[in-house]
Amino acid sequence: MKQIWKMWWAWPLLLLSCGEAAHTPSTRTLQVNLKEATPVSWQELFARMEVIPLETNDNCLLMSIDKIRAYKDSLYVFDERRQALYVFGEEGGFVRQISRRGQGPGEYTRISDFVLDNERKEIWLLAPYGYCLAYGLGGNYLRKTELPAKPNYQSITILPDGNYALWSCVEEEEEGITLTDMAGAYLNGYWHNDRIIDFMQLKPFYEYEGRAYFATAFDNPVYEVTSDTLKPAYRWDFGDRNVDAQKLAPYLDIANSSERNRQLLEALENGALPFCMERQSENNRFYYVALRPGVGRDRAWINVFYDKQEDRPYVFEETSEGIPVRPILLTDTYVLSVLQAEDFPSLRHILPADEYASLTARDEEDNPCLLKLYF
């Protein structure tokens, strides 16, 4: 077994650094008993809500919203199936597309993620094949940056010092996290782990208060990412539902990677592994994680909002009113959740009659709506 290299306080972890990993006394542990989940009304967590219909036109037909970032009065919406980054106004009006598929300057064949650099007023689109394309906030192409040679670049985040951290699903002899400067020069790297396990979480970064954090699918600790090290920030504890090293050991012993992947997915589907962790984030009030039982991006997930002040979790798939909450952006002010047409009936008795009528009049081929829930 290997250790994560250059860990803060030399915190030793197993190959997967799972829920059984040692942790320092100063690291906060968030205890969540999933068996004692009680119904949660949307009004227990939020003060009000509004629906933002995303404009549909021939230049913007969304298939699946994978990531949203907000900057001033704009929403930057990434659709990995469409391989495109779109900009909408805060009320949902389409503004522009920031991306071009092709072979020429400023064009790409595939992108896997993007990052919004507020300080430099730039957007970086990450291509999995080893480069980033930089654009201005208005969509003007700026430059191409080559990255250190590595396959499967899947995710990118920006660090407080202006450097970048990139995530790849690679063999355990390689570094899963690569640190570069703005010019793409290699600075550092860490996280040696099983490639098939790492494929269970392709977007492991989130940003909060100018810092970057890292969390994988089966790893209970959440780490702060710096250019020098990973250091533990806090740790989830789901009791006997933790996916620990003992539960994962049988799959790690499978030599054939395709068979290991097949059995892992089967274990998630039949409940032998209770969930994988996705979409981790936080704001000034909550730590957040989505627990995904089974496989498939359209499967329901379990929301865990852990109140930092009350030191207690709120656990639910949907609110007691039947509203599905699928956070894709968490800020100090609000949560953005993707709202599909089949979700509209849950809002019938909550929205004003005219708003609900306008919502249900939308065509089923229209772009999805966003549910904005204010704290």
Side-chain angles (χ1 to χ4, degrees):
M1 292 190 175
K2 296 181 181 288
Q3 290 181 343
I4 295 175
W5 308 119
K6 300 183 179 179
M7 291 296 292
W8 186 51
W9 294 341
W11 185 2
L13 303 180
L14 298 177
L15 175 67
L16 279 167
S17 56
C18 296
E20 291 294 319
H23 59 286
T24 65
S26 61
T27 302
R28 184 172 185 177
T29 296
L30 315 179
Q31 294 183 329
V32 182
N33 187 342
L34 298 174
K35 297 177 182 178
E36 295 183 357
T38 57
V40 178
S41 169
W42 74 274
Q43 292 176 312
E44 291 183 61
L45 299 179
F46 309 106
R48 62 186 178 93
M49 70 167 69
E50 67 181 48
V51 176
I52 303 173
L54 296 179
E55 180 184 344
T56 307
N57 60 45
D58 293 340
N59 296 316
C60 178
L61 296 172
L62 296 170
M63 294 180 67
S64 174
I65 297 176
D66 297 280
K67 182 176 179 177
I68 297 179
R69 290 294 178 264
Y71 182 72
K72 294 187 176 179
D73 58 352
S74 297
L75 297 174
Y76 293 79
V77 178
F78 177 52
D79 186 326
E80 192 164 2
R81 291 188 188 178
R82 284 287 186 196
Q83 289 291 290
L85 177 65
Y86 301 101
V87 184
F88 293 87
E90 57 187 353
E91 295 182 358
F94 176 68
V95 178
R96 68 177 63 91
Q97 179 176 332
I98 302 182
S99 55
R100 295 190 298 273
R101 298 187 74 171
Q103 302 292 331
E107 297 177 337
Y108 56 85
T109 56
R110 186 168 180 268
I111 49 175
S112 53
D113 197 10
F114 81 98
V115 68
L116 186 60
D117 188 333
N118 295 344
E119 292 297 319
R120 300 185 180 110
K121 304 296 187 293
E122 292 182 0
I123 297 162
W124 280 38
L125 300 186
L126 173 66
Y129 311 118
Y131 63 88
C132 283
L133 299 176
Y135 296 82
L137 297 181
N140 52 307
Y141 172 64
L142 300 175
R143 64 187 174 277
K144 179 179 180 178
T145 300
E146 299 288 346
L147 301 172
K150 184 175 290 186
N152 294 319
Y153 279 112
Q154 296 293 332
S155 188
I156 183 171
T157 190
I158 187 167
L159 306 182
D161 57 10
N163 294 321
Y164 294 91
L166 301 119
W167 170 246
S168 308
C169 298
V170 292
E171 300 296 342
E172 62 190 75
E173 291 79 13
E174 301 179 80
E175 299 159 341
I177 297 177
T178 302
L179 285 299
T180 75
D181 63 14
M182 186 181 177
Y186 176 87
L187 298 175
N188 200 355
Y190 29 74
W191 193 266
H192 295 252
N193 197 31
D194 181 84
R195 180 174 67 90
I196 302 302
I197 295 291
D198 281 347
F199 262 121
M200 299 295 166
Q201 172 55 295
L202 297 181
K203 300 293 184 287
F205 298 125
Y206 75 84
E207 300 94 31
Y208 175 61
E209 289 192 334
R211 296 185 176 92
Y213 296 86
F214 169 79
T216 64
F218 299 119
D219 192 35
N220 282 19
V222 175
Y223 308 94
E224 183 181 348
V225 186
T226 73
S227 295
D228 299 319
T229 188
L230 282 176
K231 65 180 182 181
Y234 58 93
R235 177 180 183 273
W236 295 101
D237 183 0
F238 300 102
D240 60 5
R241 300 295 298 280
N242 284 330
V243 181
D244 55 24
Q246 183 178 358
K247 290 178 181 175
L248 284 167
Y251 309 101
L252 294 174
D253 290 337
I254 301 170
N256 183 279
S257 59
S258 296
E259 178 63 15
R260 187 158 71 255
N261 181 65
R262 186 192 68 80
Q263 291 200 28
L264 274 168
L265 293 176
E266 185 178 283
L268 280 168
E269 189 64 27
N270 65 26
L273 295 176
F275 52 75
C276 62
M277 293 184 280
E278 297 186 13
R279 298 187 184 278
Q280 302 222 36
S281 191
E282 67 177 292
N283 66 6
N284 58 2
R285 182 179 169 189
F286 295 107
Y287 298 106
Y288 174 78
V289 65
L291 307 180
R292 175 91 69 173
V295 297
R297 67 168 66 205
D298 297 325
R299 293 289 292 267
W301 64 64
I302 300 168
N303 295 297
V304 180
F305 286 86
Y306 195 97
D307 193 302
K308 293 179 176 181
Q309 284 73 45
E310 296 180 3
D311 201 28
R312 58 155 292 188
Y314 296 84
V315 182
F316 60 97
E317 287 189 19
E318 57 183 29
T319 71
S320 57
E321 297 85 3
I323 303 169
V325 179
R326 308 180 186 96
I328 197 165
L329 176 64
L330 178 65
T331 76
D332 286 344
T333 308
Y334 60 83
V335 166
L336 281 183
S337 174
V338 178
L339 193 65
Q340 305 292 350
E342 58 267 25
D343 304 324
F344 294 166
S346 66
L347 303 176
R348 177 187 296 272
H349 302 295
I350 298 173
L351 295 177
D354 58 338
E355 286 188 31
Y356 184 74
S358 176
L359 190 63
T360 55
R362 290 172 61 82
D363 190 279
E364 62 180 16
E365 300 300 322
D366 284 343
N367 282 333
C369 299
L370 300 177
L371 182 63
K372 193 172 188 178
L373 298 153
Y374 292 87
F375 291 106

